């Protein structure tokens, strides 16, 4: 039935009385519990609170009060706070910690009627591209259990792809929504930086992090963004720009756009030949639909990954200093002195990838190297922003593959950090510049796995971006 696949159908079915919120929630609870042993995507399933939410919504509906998201069941990545529920960022350093408050993004969805099913596994502190870095074990890709689901929001992508909820919230610091969406055949949206409040999200790199949805459909992504976006006085970086009614502004199929294609993205040696061919074929279809395809140059492509890792690790070094074994979370039991509390708690509480990035960030920020690395990185980031804005003066969108390859096998890149980092080469661009970007699923690879096409738009152009992406899906998915 349609209500099992997308949230919008469930909302409509609940509103017409075809099914109740409790029945929808009960079905997904059963599916999540049944499938989680093989996937490891759910860290906690909130059966009691989810059913309690559902019952309250059903009472409101019976009295004639309809909340706009009543009937939509979602999961939240394990970096988003939900009052009186655990949050650990996939790390032992926060094992046993319950949040005293709820993230603004989550609360706004609850207020609109969304039902929170549970929290989802992720790479530790959102640091990873495969979900192999979680201290709670790797998440499996439901489309092929021998493949990664992507990262860091791997649990979020796997949960939707497996049909255990309608949609999920992920976070995107360098592609952590879009890359797992591509690997699992989903829609994944990273909004403009500042469009969604970051209050209540455990930070990795504060000037990069952004919360966004993963879903089967553009319509669900638009609905979720519509109800969680907007200014929040608890987040000074959130924008006070008015929020569009994205769900009502999707009908742009008749509009013709100028679409920029960065030549360097399709010429890189590591790009899968089938993805390259499919991208060219898609561009031809867009031409046939009347769109203008314009080849453009972005000379900074080879600089985006190094710049990203210099700056994000510096921010991580600062952000993660609060996890000290003293104020909250994990504390080493064998520490004898205050120095040992710090060193042993952090040494045993953090995993190897997090420690690698903290050490790299501390080096980048050290007195002898600050100007050579951090300052230079900020200068390159400025150039990337300015160059991207110049391209978007000529084009409505910039299109590229989301990832160089489909989902890779477990262990294929985990022993080579550089190879793993380069899997984000197309996605980190939007985080460095702050622009919105979406991954649209593409079917047809000979491996049987999906991949993604990424569309990047101008600041706060989510309405146009979502509308074009819905039309794009008609050309990319199951076609």
């Amino acid at each position: 039935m349609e209500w099992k696949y997308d949230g919008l159908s469930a909302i409509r079915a609940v509103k017409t009385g075809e099914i109740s919120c409790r029945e929808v929630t009960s079905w997904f609870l059963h599916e999540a519990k049944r499938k989680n042993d093989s996937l490891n995507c759910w860290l906690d399933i909130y059966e009691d609170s989810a059913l309690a939410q559902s019952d309250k919504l059903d009472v409101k509906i019976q009295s004639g009060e309809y909340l706009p998201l009543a009937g939509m069941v979602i999961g939240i990545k394990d970096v988003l706070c939900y009052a009186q529920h655990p949050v650990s960022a996939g790390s032992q350093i926060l094992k046993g910690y319950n949040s005293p408050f709820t993230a603004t993004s989550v609360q706004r969805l609850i207020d609109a009627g969304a039902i929170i099913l549970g929290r989802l596994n992720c790479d530790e502190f959102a640091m990873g591209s495969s979900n192999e870095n979680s201290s709670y074990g790797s998440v499996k890709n439901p489309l092929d259990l021998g493949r990664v689901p992507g990262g860091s929001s791997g649990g979020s992508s796997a949960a939707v792809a497996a049909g255990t909820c309608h949609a999920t919230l992920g976070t995107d610091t360098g592609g952590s929504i879009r890359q797992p969406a591509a690997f699992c055949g989903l829609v994944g949206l990273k909004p403009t930086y500042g469009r969604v409040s970051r209050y209540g999200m455990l930070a990795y790199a504060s000037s990069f992090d952004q919360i966004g949805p993963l879903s089967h459909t553009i319509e669900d992504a638009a609905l979720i963004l519509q109800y969680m976006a907007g200014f929040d006085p608890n987040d000074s970086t959130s924008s006070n720009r008015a929020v569009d009614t994205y769900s009502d502004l999707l009908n742009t199929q008749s509009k013709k756009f100028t679409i920029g294609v960065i030549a360097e993205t399709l010429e890189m040696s590591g790009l899968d030949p089938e993805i390259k061919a499919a991208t060219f074929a898609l561009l031809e279809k867009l031409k046939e639909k009347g769109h203008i395809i314009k080849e453009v140059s972005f000379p900074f492509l080879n600089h985006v990954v190094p710049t990203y890792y210099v700056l994000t690790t510096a921010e991580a070094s600062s952000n993660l200093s609060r996890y000290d074994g003293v104020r909250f979370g994990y504390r080493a039991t064998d520490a004898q002195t205050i120095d040992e509390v710090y060193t042993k708690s952090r040494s045993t509480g953090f995993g190897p990838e997090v420690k690698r990035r903290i050490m790299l960030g501390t080096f980048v920020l050290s007195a002898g190297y600050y100007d050579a690395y951090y300052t230079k990185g900020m200068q390159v980031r400025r150039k990337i922003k300015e160059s991207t804005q110049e391209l978007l003066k000529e084009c409505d969108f910039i299109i590229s593959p989301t990832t160089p390859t489909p989902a890779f096998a477990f262990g294929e890149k985990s022993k080579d950090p550089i190879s793993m980092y380069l899997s984000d080469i197309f996605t980190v661009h939007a985080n460095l510049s702050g622009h919105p970007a979406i991954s649209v699923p593409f079917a047809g690879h000979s491996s049987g796995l999906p991949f993604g096409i990424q569309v990047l738009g101008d600041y706060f152009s989510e309405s146009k971006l979502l509308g074009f992406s819905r039309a794009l899906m008609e050309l990319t998915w199951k076609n």
Side-chain angles (χ1 to χ4, degrees):
M1 297 178 72
E2 283 296 317
W3 63 262
K4 295 178 181 179
Y5 178 78
D6 67 271
L8 182 58
S9 294
I11 292 165
R12 289 169 176 164
V14 164
K15 192 170 184 179
T16 60
E18 177 187 333
I19 196 166
S20 68
C21 288
R22 174 174 263 268
E23 288 172 316
V24 175
T25 303
S26 296
W27 191 86
F28 280 119
L29 284 168
H30 176 266
E31 290 299 292
K33 288 186 283 188
R34 182 173 71 87
K35 295 177 178 177
N36 198 47
D37 284 347
S38 61
L39 297 176
N40 193 37
C41 53
W42 295 95
L43 294 179
D44 278 308
I45 297 171
Y46 303 144
E47 182 168 5
D48 292 341
S49 62
L51 290 174
Q53 269 187 284
S54 302
D55 290 340
K56 288 178 182 178
L57 289 167
D58 284 333
V59 169
K60 289 183 177 181
I61 291 166
Q62 288 165 13
S63 66
E65 182 182 351
Y66 297 96
L67 294 178
L69 297 184
M72 180 180 280
V73 177
I74 68 171
I76 57 175
K77 185 176 178 179
D78 186 33
V79 295
L80 296 171
C81 293
Y82 184 23
Q84 310 312 314
H85 291 79
V87 61
S88 71
S91 178
Q92 293 299 308
I93 200 79
L94 278 172
K95 187 175 182 179
Y97 175 74
N98 285 345
S99 175
F101 64 97
T102 299
T104 298
S105 56
V106 176
Q107 189 61 57
R108 286 177 174 171
L109 294 180
I110 292 171
D111 292 344
I115 299 154
I116 308 300
L117 198 70
R119 68 179 175 122
L120 293 154
N121 203 348
C122 62
D123 283 301
E124 187 178 5
F125 280 97
M127 298 181 187
S129 302
S130 64
N131 223 136
E132 293 174 283
N133 294 331
S134 171
S135 70
Y136 298 101
S138 300
V139 176
K140 307 295 192 299
N141 188 324
L143 306 180
D144 181 340
L145 297 181
R147 305 267 173 174
V148 303
S152 62
S153 306
S156 297
S157 61
V160 180
T164 63
C165 58
H166 288 126
T168 55
L169 292 187
T171 61
D172 195 310
T173 306
S176 289
I177 289 171
R178 290 159 289 149
Q179 187 245 30
F183 282 2
C184 291
L186 303 173
V187 172
L189 172 65
K190 182 204 85 73
T192 304
Y193 184 80
R195 181 70 293 181
V196 177
S197 170
R198 294 179 297 106
Y199 179 72
M201 177 180 69
L202 305 186
Y204 161 19
S206 301
S207 72
F208 291 77
D209 300 336
Q210 193 63 181
I211 300 164
L214 295 100
S215 61
H216 289 292
T217 68
I218 297 291
E219 288 81 357
D220 280 2
L223 269 175
I224 290 170
L225 180 62
Q226 180 174 316
Y227 287 101
M228 72 175 176
F231 176 71
D232 178 12
N234 291 314
D235 178 5
S236 61
T237 66
S238 65
S239 172
N240 59 9
R241 188 165 174 157
V243 177
D244 291 338
T245 52
Y246 301 115
S247 58
D248 294 335
L249 297 171
L250 292 177
N251 189 23
T252 61
Q253 290 92 328
S254 61
K255 294 184 179 179
K256 307 306 176 189
F257 297 111
T258 299
I259 299 162
V261 182
I262 297 174
E264 290 86 353
T265 62
L266 296 177
E267 293 169 0
M268 64 170 290
S269 58
L271 181 61
D272 181 279
E274 290 186 49
I275 294 179
K276 180 177 181 178
T279 304
F280 277 118
L282 176 62
L283 295 174
E284 287 302 315
K285 288 181 180 179
L286 290 170
K287 280 184 186 178
E288 292 170 8
K289 295 287 185 181
H291 300 286
I292 298 170
I293 306 301
K294 184 173 184 176
E295 185 175 297
V296 297
S297 179
F298 183 71
F300 300 102
L301 183 65
N302 289 330
H303 300 288
V304 293
V305 171
T307 303
Y308 170 80
Y309 279 99
V310 165
L311 297 179
T312 57
T313 57
E315 293 187 20
S317 173
S318 175
N319 277 328
L320 271 62
S321 64
R322 71 193 69 177
Y323 305 107
D324 53 14
V326 175
R327 287 166 286 186
F328 50 81
Y330 169 78
R331 179 182 296 181
T333 56
D334 60 342
Q336 301 296 316
T337 66
I338 188 63
D339 283 346
E340 286 188 354
V341 168
Y342 283 109
T343 56
K344 290 190 174 185
S345 296
R346 289 171 65 81
S347 295
T348 57
F350 288 131
E353 181 62 28
V354 174
K355 286 188 281 191
R356 179 186 291 121
R357 298 195 195 196
I358 289 172
M359 289 188 289
L360 178 57
T362 302
F363 170 78
V364 163
L365 293 174
S366 61
Y369 298 97
Y370 185 94
D371 287 337
Y373 290 99
Y374 185 76
T375 300
K376 182 64 69 176
M378 289 298 288
Q379 291 169 343
V380 175
R381 186 180 192 182
R382 169 66 66 176
K383 288 284 189 183
I384 289 169
K385 285 183 178 182
E386 290 172 351
S387 179
T388 306
Q389 273 303 98
E390 287 300 312
L391 293 180
L392 289 169
K393 288 178 182 178
E394 306 172 27
C395 309
D396 294 290
F397 306 111
I398 299 169
I399 200 168
S400 71
T402 306
T403 60
T405 66
F408 47 85
F410 285 102
E412 185 177 325
K413 297 180 184 289
S414 56
K415 294 181 180 179
D416 183 358
I418 301 300
S419 175
M420 184 74 79
Y421 296 167
L422 286 172
S423 66
D424 297 332
I425 191 166
F426 299 141
T427 54
V428 296
H429 179 177
N431 299 88
L432 282 161
S433 66
H435 289 89
I438 190 169
S439 180
V440 176
F442 203 122
H445 196 274
S446 61
S447 65
L449 296 168
F451 53 95
I453 295 295
Q454 177 178 253
V455 187
L456 183 150
D458 203 356
Y459 295 121
F460 300 100
S461 67
E462 280 84 355
S463 292
K464 189 166 75 168
L465 185 66
L466 287 161
F468 174 69
S469 297
R470 189 172 74 164
L472 194 63
M473 274 192 75
E474 295 177 4
L475 302 177
T476 63
W477 191 237
K478 297 176 182 177
N479 192 344

